[in-house]
């Protein structure tokens, strides 16, 4: 392939652009069942690839000094009311029938070590089921006599995120929260802006590299947007970053997962399901679950005249 042209297209317009022949390949972010159905309806001129990704959707929480979620009890209450199984059933399984609730951050359900690490981090499975009454009690014990207002930010261009937030509001408003949907087209620019949000729904793109997520979880990490802090976890990540032993890294990450779950660093939802569609004239297009995306092997692409 002598040249590849990249075009910036709104996700809502990507399928139509592919059908019109304006582009030869698309990889929509946050694909919905409507996205998948629209691609299928194009017919044989287009080939679709689907599968689990290392990218996972989650809700980060403001745990700063003035943050809504600075108290562990409030974080625990929120985790108890987020309807994760319902979210997976409605938005993940229609795209990938094997999709499940994700309870870890460094390992996704499609990876071979997932179950072993999960077994070593018992707190990670503590919020498998919605517990409205348990959430109410936690908030009452924390002295919250009025509904806890939570500005839940998400991308204003994503219908999927909007639909997920609607489910969260329906559930958590029953538990003593007042979820305030906060769509924003500039959400990513506000991740590191103190006070711009109380909770924020987005996805981390996994690389598969052992220490790539260190800055997300350590106390002074540039990507630790919720300002979570744990000296014990900082030491564990220092060890992970220096280790070349896969088994040692897995053991250390199991310890890290337990701390992150027990302290409710954030609320993990599910591993994203990837959708790629390309002209059937193209060959050698392969889905890649990591953050490298579909262009990882573009040097092999060919296209029939």
């Amino acid at each position: 392939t002598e040249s590849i042209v990249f075009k910036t297209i709104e996700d809502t317009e990507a399928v139509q652009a592919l059908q019109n022949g304006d582009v030869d390949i698309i990889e929509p972010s946050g694909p919905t069942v409507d996205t998948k159905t629209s691609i299928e309806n194009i017919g044989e001129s287009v080939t679709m690839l689907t599968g689990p990704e290392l990218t996972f959707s989650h809700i980060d929480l403001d745990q700063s000094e003035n943050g809504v979620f600075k108290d562990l009890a409030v974080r625990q209450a929120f985790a108890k009311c987020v309807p994760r199984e319902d979210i997976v059933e409605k938005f993940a399984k229609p795209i990938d029938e094997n999709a499940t609730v994700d309870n870890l951050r460094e390992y996704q359900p499609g990876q071979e070590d997932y179950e072993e690490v999960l077994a070593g981090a018992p707190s990670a499975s503590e919020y498998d089921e919605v517990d409205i009454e348990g959430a109410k009690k936690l908030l009452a014990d924390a002295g919250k006599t009025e509904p806890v207002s939570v500005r839940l930010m998400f991308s204003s261009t994503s219908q999927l995120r909007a639909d997920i937030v609607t489910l969260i509001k329906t559930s958590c408003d029953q538990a003593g929260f007042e979820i305030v949907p906060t769509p924003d087209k500039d959400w990513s620019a506000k991740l590191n802006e103190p006070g711009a949000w109380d909770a924020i729904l987005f996805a981390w793109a996994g690389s598969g590299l052992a220490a790539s997520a260190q800055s997300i979880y350590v106390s002074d990490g540039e990507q630790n947007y919720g300002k979570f802090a744990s000296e014990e976890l900082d030491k564990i990540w220092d060890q992970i970053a220096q280790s070349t032993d896969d088994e040692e890294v897995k053991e250390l990450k199991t310890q890290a997962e337990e701390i992150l779950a027990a302290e409710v660093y954030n609320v993990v939802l599910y591993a994203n399901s990837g959708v790629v569609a390309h002209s059937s004239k193209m060959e050698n297009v392969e889905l890649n679950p990591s953050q490298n995306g579909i262009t990882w092997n573009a040097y092999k692409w060919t296209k029939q005249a």
Side-chain angles (χ1 to χ4, degrees):
T1 301
E2 294 183 359
S3 65
I4 297 175
V5 178
F6 288 83
K7 294 186 177 182
T8 302
I9 303 173
E10 292 287 347
D11 282 338
T12 53
E13 301 172 3
V15 176
Q16 189 64 53
L18 179 66
Q19 183 173 7
N20 293 345
D22 297 332
V23 294
D24 295 305
I25 183 167
I26 61 172
E27 186 177 24
S29 62
T32 66
V33 65
D34 291 338
T35 306
K36 184 178 180 181
T37 300
S38 297
I39 293 170
E40 290 172 336
N41 289 340
I42 295 176
E44 296 181 356
S45 64
V46 166
T47 299
M48 181 169 61
L49 309 173
T50 62
E53 297 183 334
L54 294 181
T55 298
F56 64 98
S57 294
H58 58 91
I59 306 168
D60 275 14
L61 310 172
D62 182 2
Q63 302 172 50
S64 62
E65 185 176 348
N66 297 316
V68 169
F69 292 102
K70 64 179 180 179
D71 295 333
L72 175 59
V74 179
R75 301 197 297 274
Q76 291 172 325
F78 185 69
K80 282 181 176 291
C81 69
V82 174
R84 300 191 302 149
E85 185 64 46
D86 198 19
I87 289 169
V88 169
E89 288 292 329
K90 285 184 169 63
F91 305 120
K93 282 193 173 182
I95 299 174
D96 177 7
E97 62 181 12
N98 296 316
T100 63
V101 169
D102 182 13
N103 280 324
L104 300 177
R105 295 153 182 84
E106 283 296 285
Y107 297 87
Q108 303 309 314
Q111 294 178 274
E112 61 180 358
D113 291 329
Y114 178 84
E115 293 297 337
E116 181 182 348
V117 175
L118 184 60
S123 295
S125 300
E126 190 172 331
Y127 304 99
D128 281 349
E129 297 181 2
V130 170
D131 182 4
I132 299 298
E133 293 306 314
K136 286 181 178 179
K137 185 178 186 307
L138 281 165
L139 291 179
D141 290 346
K144 306 297 182 182
T145 57
E146 299 291 333
V148 178
S149 179
V150 176
R151 294 167 298 160
L152 179 46
M153 184 175 284
F154 59 95
S155 171
S156 61
T157 64
S158 173
Q159 185 59 48
L160 171 63
R161 298 302 191 206
D163 291 341
I164 290 175
V165 170
T166 296
L167 284 188
I168 294 171
K169 178 174 176 58
T170 299
S171 180
C172 289
D173 278 10
Q174 301 176 50
F177 290 95
E178 181 187 358
I179 304 300
V180 182
T182 311
D184 196 314
K185 65 181 179 64
D186 298 319
W187 67 273
S188 60
K190 296 179 180 179
L191 279 168
N192 203 23
E193 187 177 310
W197 48 272
D198 302 314
I200 187 162
L201 169 61
F202 66 109
W204 280 125
S207 70
L209 301 176
S212 63
Q214 184 174 14
S215 70
I216 297 174
Y217 302 113
V218 296
S219 299
D220 60 352
E222 291 184 7
Q223 294 173 289
N224 181 359
Y225 302 121
K227 307 306 178 187
F228 172 82
S230 166
E231 290 185 8
E232 183 181 2
L233 188 63
D234 293 347
K235 292 177 182 177
I236 291 173
W237 270 105
D238 283 342
Q239 292 176 271
I240 292 171
Q242 296 175 52
S243 177
T244 57
D245 184 324
D246 289 345
E247 287 302 313
E248 181 184 31
V249 167
K250 182 165 61 176
E251 181 181 337
L252 289 166
K253 284 197 172 185
T254 301
Q255 297 174 31
E257 291 283 6
E258 173 60 19
I259 294 172
L260 291 166
E263 295 295 325
V264 194
Y265 168 88
N266 60 5
V267 177
V268 184
L269 301 178
Y270 59 86
N272 290 12
S273 298
V275 172
V276 167
H278 63 85
S279 165
S280 296
K281 293 181 179 181
M282 291 184 67
E283 296 180 354
N284 301 322
V285 177
E286 296 181 34
L287 191 69
N288 187 310
S290 79
Q291 62 189 14
N292 293 322
I294 195 59
T295 57
W296 75 280
N297 73 333
Y299 60 91
K300 286 187 176 182
W301 293 355
T302 61
K303 183 184 177 185
Q304 301 170 6

